[in-house]
């Protein structure tokens, strides 16, 4: 998914992994270059399995998130930061939704979006996507 987000105008060269986000938070650092995005695997949900003639199958829905960050310094209400982030939200959704993943059976679908934080001069917004897959094990 990082390559899809990397194609969004304004985010080229500014897409990072979950490890980078964890490092920044652990060290209490702010992003030096904004806007920026972080792509994180955020979980999975398994459906009801079935088995027949030596084959175990189970539907799996993978969750991946894109965390967007823009500067909001001197913007107590967040209004200016919102005008910066809204185009990034729309462009990110358009870049990811409906795209196939080479290792999954489905396409990315938008699940939700949430404002996570407007603190320390930074607005952080999370977009959650899902993609269907299937676990197949020959027994």
């Amino acid at each position: 998914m990082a390559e899809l987000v990397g194609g969004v105008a304004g985010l080229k060269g500014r897409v990072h992994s979950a490890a980078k986000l964890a490092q920044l938070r652990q060290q209490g650092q702010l992003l030096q270059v904004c806007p920026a995005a972080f792509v994180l695997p955020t979980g999975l949900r398994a459906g009801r399995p079935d088995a027949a003639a030596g084959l175990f199958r189970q539907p799996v829905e993978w969750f991946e998130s894109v965390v967007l960050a823009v500067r909001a310094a001197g913007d107590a209400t967040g209004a200016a930061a919102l005008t910066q982030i809204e185009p990034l939200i729309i462009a990110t959704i358009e870049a990811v939704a409906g795209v196939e993943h080479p290792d999954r059976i489905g396409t990315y679908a938008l699940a939700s979006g949430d404002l996570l934080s407007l603190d320390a001069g930074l607005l952080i917004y999370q977009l959650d996507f899902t993609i269907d897959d299937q676990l197949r094990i020959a027994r």
Side-chain angles (χ1 to χ4, degrees):
M1 178 188 292
E3 63 280 352
L4 298 173
V5 177
V8 172
L11 292 176
K12 291 180 176 47
R14 297 178 181 170
V15 178
H16 309 284
S17 67
K20 177 70 173 175
L21 180 60
Q23 176 189 19
L24 288 170
R25 294 193 65 181
Q26 184 180 30
Q27 295 173 349
Q29 296 177 334
L30 289 178
L31 289 169
Q32 298 303 313
V33 180
C34 280
F38 299 88
V39 177
L40 303 91
T42 49
L44 63 89
R45 180 179 21 239
R48 293 188 57 88
D50 66 0
L55 179 65
F56 174 85
R57 293 182 305 191
Q58 186 173 21
V60 176
E61 185 178 31
W62 292 91
F63 296 88
E64 292 185 58
S65 297
V66 177
V67 176
L68 300 169
V70 297
R71 290 244 184 267
D75 181 17
T77 67
L82 286 174
T83 62
Q84 291 179 57
I85 204 155
E86 282 184 25
L88 284 176
I89 292 168
I90 293 165
T92 301
I93 292 168
E94 290 175 349
V96 176
V99 175
E100 293 179 358
H101 186 290
D103 298 327
R104 309 277 188 251
I105 63 170
T107 59
Y108 285 108
L110 177 66
S112 64
D114 292 296
L115 177 65
L116 294 184
S117 173
L118 179 55
D119 189 32
L122 199 63
L123 185 146
I124 299 176
Y125 195 94
Q126 180 172 323
L127 292 168
D128 299 315
F129 294 90
T130 62
I131 189 164
D132 292 330
D133 200 5
Q134 187 178 72
L135 180 63
R136 298 175 69 103
I137 303 171
R139 299 279 180 202

